[in-house]
Amino acid sequence: MKKGYTIGIDLGGTNTKLALVDDKGRIVTRRLISTGEYPAKEAFIEAISGCVKEILAARGIKAVRGIGIGTPGLVDSRKGIVYSLTNIPGWDRVFLKKLLERSTRLPVFVDNDVNLMALGELKFGAGIGVKNLICLTLGTGVGGGIIIDGRLYRGTTLSAGEIGHISINENGPRCNCGGRGCLERYVGNRYIVALATRKIRRGKKTIVTKLVNNDLSRITPFVLSTAARRGDELAISIWQEMGKHLGVALSGVVNLLNPEVIVIGGGVANAGKVLFDALRKTVRERAMEIPVKAVKIVRGKLGQDAGIIGAVALVKLKT
Ligand SMILES: [Zn+2]
C-alpha cells in the first residue's frame, strides 16, 4: 500500500473531473477534460492518461495508491468493464480498467458514480462513523447508493440502488425503465421544470417569470430554488410537493433497510430547507416508528466533489 496520494476521476457526460487527493480526502490539484471533445473512447482514455501524468509531474509525485474512476451507467466493478454510459454513446463493453492501467501503469478501480458518492460520503462526508447509509442524488435522474454494514450493496446483477425507479403511484405515467409512476418521473429535473411551467401557464403569480425574463423555457431547478429562497409561493409549493414525493419513496426505504443516515446530494438538494422540511415531515408521518426515530436525513457534505472523493475512497478500500 502506498500512502499519500490518490487520483480521483468523475467521468461525466459533459465534463470529466480529475483530481489529486491526499489521504485525508483533500483535493490538492484539479483538472477538467471536456468529455464531448473525444468521441473516440481510445482518444478519451489517452487524454485522461496524459492528464494524470501531467498532474503527477507538476507536483513531482512519483507514486500514488492508484486511480479511482466513477462513471454513470452500468459498470462491472470487479472487472472494471463499462457496459454503457448514460448520455455518452459508443461506450459498450469498454475494458476501462485494463486500458487505463496499460497506459498509466497505475492500479485502476472503476465503479458506478452514485455508488462512489455513497462511499465518499461514508468515508469523508456526512456519513463518517456510520454503518448503514443510503445516498440519493437528485438531478436529471435520481440515483441511489446503498451501504450496508459499512459495505456497498450492489445486488445480484450489480444493479441495486435504483431508488429513482421505485414507484410512488401504481397508475402513474410510464417511465423509461418500463415501470409506471416512478419517483424519477416526479422529481427528475425536467419534471420539476414541467410542473412549474404548467402552474405558471395556468396563471399562478410568481417572481419566476421575472427571473427568466418571461422566457419560460429558461426555468431550471436552480431558478426555482432562488425564487423559493425569496419567499415565492409558487416555488415553495413546488419544492414542498417534491419533498413529499421523495418522502413517500424514502419512507419505504426506511422501513425496508433501517438506515442510520440518508444523504441527499445533487443539484436539486440546493433547494434546501423548504425541500428538506417537507421530506422529513412526510417520512416521519409515514415510516414505521422505530426505524424512523433512528434515521437522520441530511444534505451531502461533499457537494460537487462527491464523485471524485468517492473514487478516492474506493481506491483506499482496495489497496
Ligand atoms: Zn422508472
Side-chain angles (χ1 to χ4, degrees), residues 165 175 177 182:
H165 299 283
C175 175
C177 76
C182 292

Side-chain angles (χ1 to χ4, degrees), residues 188-259:
N189 276 352
R190 65 194 175 103
Y191 301 105
I192 300 176
V193 168
L195 176 67
T197 311
R198 272 201 310 276
K199 287 193 173 193
I200 294 168
R201 289 214 171 107
R202 263 188 243 136
K204 286 255 183 203
K205 268 192 71 131
T206 170
I207 62 166
V208 171
T209 37
K210 204 171 138 200
L211 290 173
V212 296
N213 285 327
N214 286 314
D215 179 359
L216 298 192
S217 70
R218 285 171 57 193
I219 297 175
T220 61
F222 181 78
V223 169
L224 295 169
S225 299
T226 308
R229 265 197 297 278
R230 294 190 195 167
D232 183 72
E233 266 179 39
L234 173 118
I236 289 172
S237 76
I238 283 171
W239 290 122
Q240 283 170 336
E241 198 172 328
M242 295 305 132
K244 190 169 177 188
H245 291 320
L246 284 163
V248 169
L250 287 180
S251 303
V253 170
V254 166
N255 290 348
L256 181 69
L257 295 173
N258 189 196

Side-chain angles (χ1 to χ4, degrees), residues 164-194:
H165 299 283
I166 289 178
S167 177
I168 57 169
N169 179 359
E170 63 175 326
N171 298 314
R174 274 267 175 229
C175 175
N176 287 338
C177 76
R180 259 188 196 282
C182 292
L183 177 66
E184 191 170 296
R185 268 308 257 100
Y186 295 88
V187 305
N189 276 352
R190 65 194 175 103
Y191 301 105
I192 300 176
V193 168

Side-chain angles (χ1 to χ4, degrees), residues 45 48-49 96-105 108:
I45 290 167
I48 289 182
S49 169
L96 185 58
K97 176 182 171 73
K98 207 160 107 185
L99 292 169
L100 204 54
E101 281 184 342
R102 197 180 289 159
S103 64
T104 60
R105 297 179 187 282
V108 175

